[in-house]
Amino acid sequence: VQLQASGGGLVQAGGSLRLSCAASGPTRNTWGMGWFRQAPGKEREFVASFRWSGGAADYAHSVKGRFTISRDNGKVAVVLQANNLKPEDTAIYYCASAERSSRSRSLSYTIASDYDYWGQGTQVTVSS
């Protein structure tokens, strides 16, 4: 499975960006997809996740109410709509996908180890 992320860029505080992540290859067993981010000098952190089963979405506390994750038109792809961006949102954003397994219903999909595949990352820079 290959993941292609796009949509990053430079935006002023209060602005918006739309990040997309599309999966290709053997994606039939995809269970869900998520976004993580890593700022310079910091560890990678969870941003949002979307599970195909029931359309459940989860968000980090820091982005709840500002970011929305959704599936892109029934494709094996997700969109992260990021509104009211803040300078502290500046980071490289990585998308990830998880395959269905016997543990799928018990995982939170808020930690990196719950995912099987990763994209290359897209830079988001928010100026103050």
Side-chain angles (χ1 to χ4, degrees):
V1 174
Q2 294 80 43
L3 302 177
Q4 182 66 48
S6 61
L10 172 65
V11 65
Q12 289 188 332
S16 299
L17 284 173
R18 185 175 184 269
L19 306 184
S20 299
C21 180
S24 60
T27 60
R28 187 178 63 179
N29 291 327
T30 298
W31 181 258
M33 297 179 73
W35 288 94
F36 288 71
R37 67 187 182 186
Q38 187 167 17
K42 295 187 177 181
E43 294 187 351
R44 189 171 299 191
E45 65 175 3
F46 168 74
V47 176
S49 66
F50 186 92
R51 279 164 280 176
W52 281 194
S53 176
D58 287 307
Y59 299 92
H61 178 73
S62 59
V63 306
K64 194 171 292 185
R66 299 188 297 122
F67 290 15
T68 303
I69 188 171
S70 60
R71 187 172 179 180
D72 187 5
N73 293 330
K75 302 174 184 177
V76 186
V78 289
V79 172
L80 183 69
Q81 179 65 43
N83 297 329
N84 190 22
L85 283 159
K86 304 176 180 181
E88 51 264 41
D89 294 317
T90 295
I92 298 175
Y93 283 68
Y94 297 91
C95 67
S97 71
E99 291 197 329
R100 183 176 58 245
S101 73
S102 60
R103 298 169 59 232
S104 291
R105 295 189 184 276
S106 65
L107 299 178
S108 68
Y109 295 99
T110 60
I111 58 175
S113 60
D114 287 346
Y115 293 85
D116 301 293
Y117 304 100
W118 292 83
Q120 84 286 4
T122 184
Q123 177 71 48
V124 171
T125 304
V126 185
S127 62
S128 57

